[in-house]
């Protein structure tokens, strides 16, 4: 199980704001790795830096043995790196089917597209029932399913999920996390950013704790759940 993704001493900025201050982390093939931390800690910025939405000013991002630090997002996607952003970002005026088709825009093999569609509908039967509905008419939970489904249409080597449970009812949160686990069991490597630290650490293999643009702690997920600082700060356990 080799390293599929590795960040080394990454510094990223928004204008003059120093958002990531020397982040180093890795994700092995087949793992679920979670990034936890409060708002503004740099979790989403880390994912944006990996996917090329913003480029690191210092340090390097390596994916599958290739340096992707300064590569544009559409090229990163075509290399097999999927990113489901915070806020879902679906196309409200396109149908469920058209949204999923958009996820496969770099795939030319119709047979592969049909197979991915089958997997998405197996994971999210509700999307199959709503295949002709416009994205904007779906509930929040269904839109999140659609966002994840669209990310899967690429058949990504690694899928990065940014706050997949945000704003969802508890029953749907359970469904989303169960789906993430099933995806991983089927062989998809996952990098997960999630406010619900307890749920994230319950399904992850390893985790990193971010504070103000830096990593302050990393360990196996089971050990992080028992860590006193993590319990007090992120799990609400006194």
């Amino acid at each position: 199980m080799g390293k599929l993704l590795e960040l080394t001493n990454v510094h990223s900025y928004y204008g003059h704001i120093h958002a990531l201050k020397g982040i180093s982390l890795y994700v092995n093939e087949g793992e679920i790795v979670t990034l936890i931390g409060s708002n503004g800690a740099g979790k989403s910025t880390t994912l944006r830096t990996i996917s090329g939405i913003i480029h690191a000013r210092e340090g390097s991002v390596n994916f599958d043995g290739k340096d992707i630090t300064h590569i544009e997002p559409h090229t990163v996607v075509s290399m097999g790196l999927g990113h489901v952003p915070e806020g879902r970002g679906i196309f409200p005026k396109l149908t469920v089917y058209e949204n999923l088709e958009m996820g496969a825009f770099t795939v030319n093999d119709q047979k592969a597209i049909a197979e991915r569609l089958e997997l998405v509908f197996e994971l999210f039967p509700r999307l199959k029932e709503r295949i002709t509905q416009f994205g904007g008419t779906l509930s929040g939970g269904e839109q999140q399913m659609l966002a994840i489904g669209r990310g899967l249409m690429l058949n990504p080597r690694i899928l990065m999920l940014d706050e997949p449970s945000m704003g969802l009812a508890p029953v749907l949160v359970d469904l989303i996390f169960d789906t993430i686990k099933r995806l991983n069991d089927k062989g998809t490597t996952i990098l997960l950013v999630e406010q619900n630290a307890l749920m994230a650490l319950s399904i992850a293999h390893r985790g990193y704790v971010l504070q103000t643009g830096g990593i302050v702690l990393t360990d196996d997920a089971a050990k992080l759940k028992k860590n006193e600082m993590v319990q007090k700060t992120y799990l609400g356990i006194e």
Side-chain angles (χ1 to χ4, degrees), residues 22-118:
I23 294 274
S24 294
L25 61 83
Y26 67 92
V27 181
N28 289 322
E29 193 154 11
E31 280 190 311
I32 300 176
V33 172
T34 187
L35 308 181
I36 61 175
S38 54
N39 285 335
K43 306 184 302 296
S44 294
T45 305
T46 300
L47 299 194
R48 289 183 192 122
T49 302
I50 294 166
S51 61
I53 295 167
I54 60 174
H55 290 146
R57 286 197 201 169
E58 294 175 47
S60 64
V61 181
N62 273 271
F63 173 60
D64 199 19
K66 301 174 188 73
D67 187 338
I68 63 166
T69 314
H70 301 292
I71 289 179
E72 293 307 309
H74 64 276
T75 306
V76 173
V77 166
S78 67
M79 293 168 75
L81 205 155
H83 184 183
V84 179
E86 183 182 350
R88 297 156 198 157
I90 63 151
F91 299 98
K93 294 185 178 177
L94 297 183
T95 65
V96 165
Y97 180 73
E98 289 165 341
N99 266 277
L100 293 171
E101 264 194 328
M102 291 292 283
F105 74 99
T106 62
V107 183
N108 295 319
D109 182 345
Q110 289 303 313
K111 184 169 178 283
I113 291 172
E115 285 170 0
R116 297 313 290 176
L117 206 53
E118 204 173 305

Side-chain angles (χ1 to χ4, degrees), residues 154-196:
L154 282 166
N155 194 14
R157 296 286 306 283
I158 184 168
L159 186 63
M160 302 193 300
L161 298 168
D162 196 350
E163 303 288 6
S165 79
M166 185 180 278
L168 299 185
V171 65
L172 285 172
V173 172
D174 289 342
L175 173 64
I176 293 296
F177 275 95
D178 180 57
T179 303
I180 293 168
K181 185 78 178 63
R182 286 171 64 200
L183 274 176
N184 182 246
D185 290 342
K186 287 175 180 287
T188 304
T189 304
I190 307 279
L191 180 57
L192 172 66
V193 162
E194 179 55 57
Q195 279 294 125
N196 190 332

Side-chain angles (χ1 to χ4, degrees), residues 9-23:
N9 194 32
V10 166
H11 292 258
S12 292
Y13 291 76
Y14 292 111
H16 297 298
I17 298 167
H18 195 175
L20 297 185
K21 303 166 185 172
I23 294 274

Side-chain angles (χ1 to χ4, degrees), residues 32-34 36 197-208 218-227 230 235:
I32 300 176
V33 172
T34 187
I36 61 175
L198 185 60
M199 290 289 279
L201 291 171
S202 296
I203 66 165
H205 298 96
R206 293 186 302 110
Y208 292 88
T218 179
D219 211 332
D220 291 339
K223 290 178 182 172
L224 285 175
K225 272 172 82 173
K226 294 175 183 172
N227 180 279
V230 172
L235 305 183

